[in-house]
Amino acid sequence: MSIAGKNFAVIGAGIVGSALALWLNSEGAMVSVYERRNAQAFLKKPKIQKRNINLALSHRGLKSLNLLKLKDKIMPVCCPMYGRRIYPSVEGPAFFQPYGLPHQAIYSVSRFDLNLMLHSALEAANSIKVLYNNTLNAEDRGLLVKLENQFDGIFWCDGIHSIGRNILEGLGYVTTTVDKASYGYREVPLNGPLIRSKEAQALHIWPRDKSMLIALPQAEGHYAGTLFAPFVGSGGLDSTTNQEDFQHTIQSIYLGKDSPFSLTDTPLINLPASWLKSVNVGPWNYGKHLLLGDAAHAILPFYGQGMNAGLEDVYVLSEIATDNKSPDEIFSAFYARRKIDGDAIKTLAERNYWNMKNGTVNKEQLLYKKFEQFLLTRFPNEFKGQYQRVSFGDEPYHKALDNGDRVFAKCQVFLRNFSRPEDWVAPEAITACKSLLTSFHAD
């Protein structure tokens, strides 16, 4: 598709919509960005942030920011996370579980810092017009035609509750299934230890049988915590109704009395509990219209890939657009290539809730993670587990899912024969490891 000289609309000036607008502009297009919030929502840091204060940025997102020449601008305000720091009980010692090789990390970044960088770039662009305070009418069934008459293509980047998707669904052009999890989340801002070592530079997890608390380090030394739990029952989100109960729940169930972490004084009223949802949508395109990011494939937050998948949408679109086809053909090709990956990362995210909440204290899973680290360290150029494929590489999500499952299954066979880590360096075990690695590449 020839981008230069064309006129596009981007609905939604969040992270994905802003990144898309900047890429379209870099290709010579004129872009109008419609955003319901005001400019200050992106350019002025709020005193109280109620949702997803920090996000996890990994290879796929960084690759897309690099396409926009913005990677070097965001890295100074990112905090690396080299693995998981796991607190299995309120009394027992914590332990560190690396994500990969010593240099491999994902990055905790403030949602505000990322939005500020993107919106500053939007403001500086010559052919991008950002229309803040602009709420499109979802009840206006003539809205699509109005946009089609004005623009060469319309990109709906307006999130899980997308107006465009709802209108297209109402007209019978797309089908949407909203999956509501049986649990929800609440932001839990924390104070904690200074972030100096690689073990502190980690995703901190307090796993419990039916819930978990996690915390991402922030560049200024605080921690963005989130509690995931059912709404009802002991420790449930609805069972905490006042500040004292909230403090007691976090301290007694998760942190413990001797924890270096503590709650901030943020009032509970500013930390509302919310449901977790994901969507399954198809198709993502109709005529001049294309859904991207959460509008097309909102997922649960447990693989740290929601934002990265949305940013990778922009990168994939840039690859497909080089074929110089019409918007309709490009959008159809994008859906054909990307839908399978959207479904795969949705599956991976749903699975990873158990991996984080229960797998981090499950003996079989801990043994596998230890063996995975052994293979990574001993054979760094020959082995990749599922997490490394998803977070540190370009392998399409559906292939990372399939290949990672195959690797896991074959490793389980090995571990049935060599169940003690001290035996893995024995000559017969090394021979078996090499045979295992060969089988990965042979399939």
Side-chain angles (χ1 to χ4, degrees), residues 363-405:
K363 289 183 179 180
E364 289 78 14
Q365 185 69 8
L366 288 171
L367 180 65
Y368 170 72
K369 295 301 289 186
K370 186 174 288 189
F371 181 57
E372 184 180 77
Q373 195 61 32
F374 172 79
L375 291 177
L376 281 168
T377 304
R378 190 82 180 223
F379 307 98
N381 299 319
E382 299 173 63
F383 176 77
K384 285 183 182 178
Q386 196 162 68
Y387 190 88
Q388 292 79 43
R389 293 169 186 273
V390 170
S391 297
F392 303 132
D394 299 306
E395 190 172 38
Y397 286 127
H398 75 279
K399 290 186 177 180
L401 172 61
D402 292 344
N403 290 334
D405 284 354

Side-chain angles (χ1 to χ4, degrees), residues 63-75:
K63 174 181 65 176
S64 300
L65 292 177
N66 194 53
L67 176 71
L68 305 174
K69 298 180 172 56
L70 293 175
K71 177 182 174 182
D72 291 341
K73 290 187 178 181
I74 199 62
M75 290 306 293

Side-chain angles (χ1 to χ4, degrees), residues 15-17 19-20 52 54-68 71 74-75 78 81 99 105-109 111 114 118 216 284 292-294 297-317 334 338 341-342 345-346 349 387 389-397:
I15 292 167
V16 175
L20 174 64
N52 295 75
N54 270 49
L55 302 165
L57 185 59
S58 57
H59 172 77
R60 295 170 197 266
L62 289 169
K63 174 181 65 176
S64 300
L65 292 177
N66 194 53
L67 176 71
L68 305 174
K71 177 182 174 182
I74 199 62
M75 290 306 293
C78 291
M81 298 186 291
Y99 280 139
I106 62 175
Y107 296 88
S108 174
V109 61
R111 177 185 291 274
L114 190 52
L118 290 166
L216 283 73
W284 298 352
L292 276 87
D294 281 355
H297 49 75
I299 61 175
L300 298 180
F302 303 118
Y303 221 109
Q305 287 297 307
M307 173 185 64
N308 292 286
L311 286 171
E312 192 178 48
D313 282 349
V314 179
Y315 193 93
V316 171
L317 193 66
F334 176 83
R338 196 69 173 148
D341 290 324
I345 193 57
K346 182 176 184 291
Y387 190 88
R389 293 169 186 273
V390 170
S391 297
F392 303 132
D394 299 306
E395 190 172 38
Y397 286 127

Side-chain angles (χ1 to χ4, degrees), residues 132-161:
Y132 294 107
N133 299 304
N134 200 305
T135 302
L136 298 178
N137 183 4
E139 302 301 319
D140 181 2
R141 295 305 172 182
L143 177 61
L144 299 191
V145 174
K146 293 175 186 176
L147 292 170
E148 290 163 4
N149 289 338
Q150 189 176 353
F151 297 104
D152 296 300
I154 302 98
F155 298 91
W156 296 92
C157 306
D158 51 340
I160 189 171
H161 302 295

